[in-house]
Amino acid sequence: MAMTASSGVAQGVGSISAGQAERSPFLRTTELLAPYQPAKPLITLSLGEPQHPVPDFVGPVLARHIAEFGRYPLAKGIEPFRRAAASWLTTRFDLPRPIDPESEILVLNGSREGLFFAAITAARYVGPRKGKPAILMPNPFYPAYGAGARAAGCELIYLPTTLANGFLPDLDALDEATLARTVAMFIASPANPQGAVASRDYFTRLKKLADRHGFMILSDECYSEIYTRHAPGSALECAGPDFTNVVAFQSLSKRSNLPGMRVGFAAGDRKFLAAFHELRNVAAPQVPMPLQHVAVAAYSDEAHVEENRRLYRIKFDLADQILGSRYGYARPAGGFCVWLDVSGRGGDEAAAIKLYRDAGVRVIPGSYLSRPQNDGFNPGAGYIRLALVSDSESTAEALHRLVEILD
Ligand SMILES: Cc1ncc(COP(=O)(O)O)c(C=O)c1O
């Protein structure tokens, strides 16, 4: 079934008509739950903030480089950082050739701001479009994609990700007219919230579309190191010898339990990155140099990442045991979120309220992470998202309480 240009298009671009679409799902959850008092000690599974230990090397490396807080950092990133990021990427993924640290890596203040600024860059970078410029994104999606697309003055086109399509946008459903006006497509693999992982074949098909229509693939891969069985691939693996039209976004927030440090990077298409760098040089937050040195240490060590995966694996084993196949649960291929279908239990908002009030478990209603398609179908409605970020005891306790309340 081909999706027409309008069938997946959000109405009303702009901050006023955007309404709830502009608002943080976390703020909306806070407002939803504000009238209620939890009956039990609170366990928060709403926020995707990793709570495993900060790696041991962080303090000493920071201390050694403390004086560099006294200097303005360059937007591009220090050379040791770019070399460490390029070397990690080249070792970790099966790339067509090694990434060039000089021209194919840019440091980011966490991947969020990078995703936002990349949408703005893409709208300026790609040539004229046949029709109103559009940015495609999965639905549900990470809010920075929508904010970036709006700031870029593009139309937002939501591609529903559902159980039926394996929780990845259906590339065959995109019609030629929509593709001809596409500036960029955001893709998240592993996906947040469902944890779906794009295959090599999927990325190859997407790259073909991007090359044919001259749009950018903005591949959000910040969960790539959190998996329980197979290491997810990267869009860069299928991007050809020059990574043309493909930029991958990485972060230490999830990989190294450093969400507060705010360090990540963008890698790929050098021409796009040159334009990205130019915009970032005047508009984006630079990354403090001592933090880039910590990042060098982080990208040079896999032991803490393996330990991190072990801790998540324990929690997913618990989820397998406690949830079984309830609420459509299936262990995700990647990431640390659990996406549960509560449509038979009063819907996502009602389930979130009940869990908070009666069980002291805080989760996000799925419809806060997604938007209604033009036909009114909201692919996140009827789901709740749990982020398995706290320790295994709290996770087990929360899952037991959840089953008790929802069953
Ligand atoms: C899908 C996705 N992308 C990007 C980010 C941004 O992460 P950071 O800015 O910490 O790298 C997050 C954070 O939760 C996320 O879930």
Side-chain angles (χ1 to χ4, degrees), residues 48 110-112 115 142 145 188 192 220 222-223 251 253-254 259 262:
S111 58
R112 182 170 83 165
L115 294 160
Y142 185 62
Y145 312 161
N192 173 6
D220 180 353
C222 72
Y223 287 98
S251 170
S253 300
K254 324 289 180 184
R262 314 304 308 133

Side-chain angles (χ1 to χ4, degrees), residues 170-248:
D170 181 357
L171 301 179
D172 296 331
L174 294 165
D175 67 88
E176 291 290 312
T178 301
L179 290 165
R181 63 192 183 93
T182 296
V183 157
M185 174 165 158
F186 282 106
I187 178 79
S189 174
N192 173 6
Q194 310 99 331
V197 166
S199 65
R200 240 188 136 92
D201 173 62
Y202 186 94
F203 279 134
T204 302
R205 287 192 295 132
L206 181 53
K207 158 80 171 156
K208 271 193 192 136
L209 290 178
D211 285 352
R212 176 143 38 94
H213 297 278
F215 65 79
M216 291 301 305
I217 298 169
L218 304 177
S219 185
D220 180 353
E221 301 176 6
C222 72
Y223 287 98
S224 70
E225 304 316 287
I226 314 294
Y227 56 86
T228 54
R229 291 193 185 110
H230 308 292
S234 166
L236 294 172
E237 294 176 337
C238 310
D242 290 321
F243 308 112
T244 308
N245 295 328
V246 181
V247 173

